[in-house]
């Protein structure tokens, strides 16, 4: 019997938004179905698992805005909205959420949750072209109504561009060899299907860690690049900080190191804006105050991983908006903190 799909880190993600005493060390502690009131955003609706659970814990006066760029996800979201008047549907990427919410008259919200990356239904649908495990068209677009497919991009991109994408977004050490193989292959026959690409990569990448297909990193890299996933995330996180009311929460689930690094660095920088002044003779009361308070991270337990192997790499990070007002130049200060922290990390690495 096929198990019904269950959203990763479901209860702790929803608890992070509605539980006033949420603690990452006790993610199993979740609220009674008390019905918190507020305006919430599911910035990556997918198939709606997190949204449906959240609706069980907010009252009749609350509103939930669900966002997705996938037309199939939007169709499911519209069906949910027809059943529940609290739901509003936005067909867009989450980098557009501020403008989209303002069109609905919303200037601020009480919670935002994000489940990054490709969804299980997208992976399981061979026609979407996300998985090397299922043969289908080499597509990989989150919004398959516009933009070039993976097959079209791979047929036209220069070898150096392909190499950089696979190296940067896939952290693949055989990126150059894979790029050369792709450009050589297309001279005789184009890459049309997921199996075409997977088999080509496997013929080049001879060594790979146990349990991982040789094409894993390449598929990840092409998908992230085509859908601008990291650029959208980097753009959206500061916008969410502007949206959150004091006490509002941000809960982000990521599945690979590049996403998680962005989220971790953002939350750390927003939690410690005084870091760049730490060596200056400035009184503590005059230091910049934090805009976010980190509430920690939650990892899936063994039971969840056994139920859904895709959960094994998931990380949930949670932060809460403080009462500190955002100054006119706060984004510049945020970038300065991130740059300062990055410089410190590089120095530590050199000392080791």
């Amino acid at each position: 019997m096929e198990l019904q799909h269950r959203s990763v880190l479901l209860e702790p993600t929803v608890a992070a938004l509605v539980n006033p005493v949420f603690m990452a060390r006790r993610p199993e502690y979740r609220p009674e179905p008390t019905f918190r009131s507020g305006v919430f955003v599911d910035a990556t609706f997918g198939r709606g698992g997190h949204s449906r659970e959240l609706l069980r814990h907010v009252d009749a006066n609350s509103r939930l805005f669900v966002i997705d760029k996938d037309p199939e996800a939007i169709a499911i979201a519209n069906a949910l909205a027809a059943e529940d008047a609290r739901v509003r549907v936005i067909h867009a990427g989450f980098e557009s959420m501020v403008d989209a919410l303002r069109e609905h008259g919303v200037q601020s919200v009480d919670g935002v949750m994000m489940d990054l990356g490709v969804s299980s239904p997208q992976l399981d649908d061979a026609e979407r072209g996300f998985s090397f495990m299922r043969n289908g068209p080499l597509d990989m677009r989150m919004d398959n109504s516009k933009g070039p497919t993976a097959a079209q991009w791979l047929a036209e991109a220069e070898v150096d561009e392909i190499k950089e994408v696979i190296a940067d977004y896939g952290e693949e050490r055989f990126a150059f060899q894979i790029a050369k193989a792709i450009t050589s292959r297309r001279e005789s026959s184009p890459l049309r299907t997921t199996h075409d690409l997977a088999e080509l990569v496997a013929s080049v990448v001879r060594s790979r860690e146990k349990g991982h297909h040789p094409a894993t990193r390449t598929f990840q890299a092409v998908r992230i690049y085509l859908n601008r996933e990291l650029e959208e995330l980097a753009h959206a996180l500061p916008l969410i900080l502007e949206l959150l009311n004091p006490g509002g929460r941000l809960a982000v689930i990521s599945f690979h190191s590049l996403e998680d690094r962005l989220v971790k660095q953002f939350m750390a920088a927003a939690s410690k804006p005084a870091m760049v002044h730490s060596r200056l003779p400035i009184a503590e009361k005059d230091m910049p105050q934090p805009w976010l308070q980190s509430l920690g991270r939650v990892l899936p337990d063994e039971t969840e991983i056994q139920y859904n192997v895709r959960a094994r790499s998931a990380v949930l990070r949670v932060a809460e908006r403080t009462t500190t007002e955002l100054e006119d130049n706060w984004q510049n200060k945020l970038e300065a903190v991130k740059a300062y922290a990055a410089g410190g990390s590089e120095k530590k690495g050199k000392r080791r």
Side-chain angles (χ1 to χ4, degrees), residues 13-308:
T13 300
V14 172
L17 264 59
V18 300
N19 187 349
V21 292
F22 174 83
M23 293 181 290
R25 292 182 180 178
R26 295 185 59 201
E28 73 282 357
Y29 181 85
R30 52 186 183 273
E32 298 296 327
T34 53
F35 313 116
R36 182 182 173 187
S37 183
V39 179
F40 301 92
V41 177
D42 183 347
T44 53
F45 178 77
R47 297 305 180 263
H50 291 101
S51 283
R52 289 185 178 87
E53 180 67 14
L54 180 63
L55 289 168
R56 294 180 57 242
H57 296 283
V58 297
D59 66 15
N61 295 318
S62 295
R63 284 180 290 170
L64 172 60
F65 289 86
V66 301
I67 301 172
D68 210 294
K69 60 171 65 173
D70 183 346
E72 294 180 15
I74 291 301
I76 295 171
N78 284 329
L80 179 61
E83 299 171 0
D84 194 319
R86 295 173 293 178
V87 177
R88 308 285 192 277
V89 181
I90 297 173
H91 184 190
F94 50 67
E95 67 176 354
S96 306
M97 77 171 70
V98 171
D99 292 337
L101 289 170
R102 285 174 178 164
E103 290 178 4
H104 286 81
V106 174
Q107 302 296 323
S108 61
V109 302
D110 300 292
V112 177
M113 56 185 176
M114 307 173 79
D115 183 0
L116 302 174
V118 65
S119 69
S120 290
Q122 287 171 326
L123 281 170
D124 293 337
D125 184 355
E127 292 299 311
R128 301 302 300 271
F130 288 112
S131 175
F132 47 79
M133 301 296 292
R134 293 170 172 79
N135 196 24
L138 195 54
D139 194 320
M140 296 197 198
R141 294 170 298 170
M142 296 288 191
D143 184 349
N144 55 5
S145 66
K146 60 184 179 183
T149 66
Q152 291 169 336
W153 178 69
L154 290 171
E156 299 175 0
E158 299 291 336
V159 64
D160 286 343
E161 182 182 6
I162 298 173
K163 180 200 72 174
E164 289 177 10
V165 166
I166 296 174
D168 292 346
Y169 296 135
E171 299 178 303
E172 171 61 75
R173 67 180 185 273
F174 296 104
F176 178 72
Q177 293 91 327
I178 295 170
K180 284 287 290 182
I182 289 171
T183 54
S184 297
R185 157 69 184 265
R186 70 191 186 192
E187 293 177 2
S188 57
S189 59
L191 296 167
R192 300 185 186 277
T193 70
T194 53
H195 279 187
D196 286 344
L197 179 58
E199 291 169 2
L200 181 65
V201 174
S203 70
V204 176
V205 180
R206 296 297 184 181
S207 63
R208 178 58 66 225
E209 53 268 34
K210 185 178 179 180
H212 287 260
H213 191 282
T216 300
R217 295 177 184 273
T218 297
F219 270 69
Q220 170 187 294
V222 175
R223 188 204 81 220
I224 290 173
Y225 172 76
L226 282 181
N227 295 288
R228 300 181 58 253
E229 293 176 35
L230 294 181
E231 290 88 346
E232 285 196 358
L233 179 61
H235 180 73
L237 289 171
L239 299 180
I240 293 171
L241 183 56
E242 288 186 318
L243 276 174
L244 286 174
N245 287 320
R249 303 264 181 79
L250 169 62
V252 185
I253 303 171
S254 57
F255 289 87
H256 63 75
S257 60
L258 297 176
E259 292 172 336
D260 185 52
R261 193 179 304 147
L262 273 176
V263 176
K264 180 181 179 180
Q265 289 175 347
F266 165 75
M267 289 184 174
S271 299
K272 300 176 181 178
M275 184 187 302
V276 294
H277 305 299
S278 60
R279 297 182 181 180
L280 298 179
I282 301 176
E284 185 174 349
K285 65 181 179 64
D286 297 323
M287 287 283 196
Q289 297 303 301
W291 304 303
L292 283 179
Q293 176 188 359
S294 174
L295 300 185
R297 69 171 187 170
V298 180
L299 303 177
D301 59 24
E302 289 301 320
T303 301
E304 180 162 7
I305 293 172
Q306 289 175 5
Y307 183 90
N308 181 3

Side-chain angles (χ1 to χ4, degrees), residues 325-346:
E325 293 186 7
L326 296 174
E327 304 171 16
D328 291 339
N329 64 339
W330 76 270
Q331 289 206 30
N332 291 334
K333 290 184 177 180
L334 180 69
E335 291 303 315
V337 176
K338 288 164 66 177
Y340 181 87
S345 298
E346 289 176 4

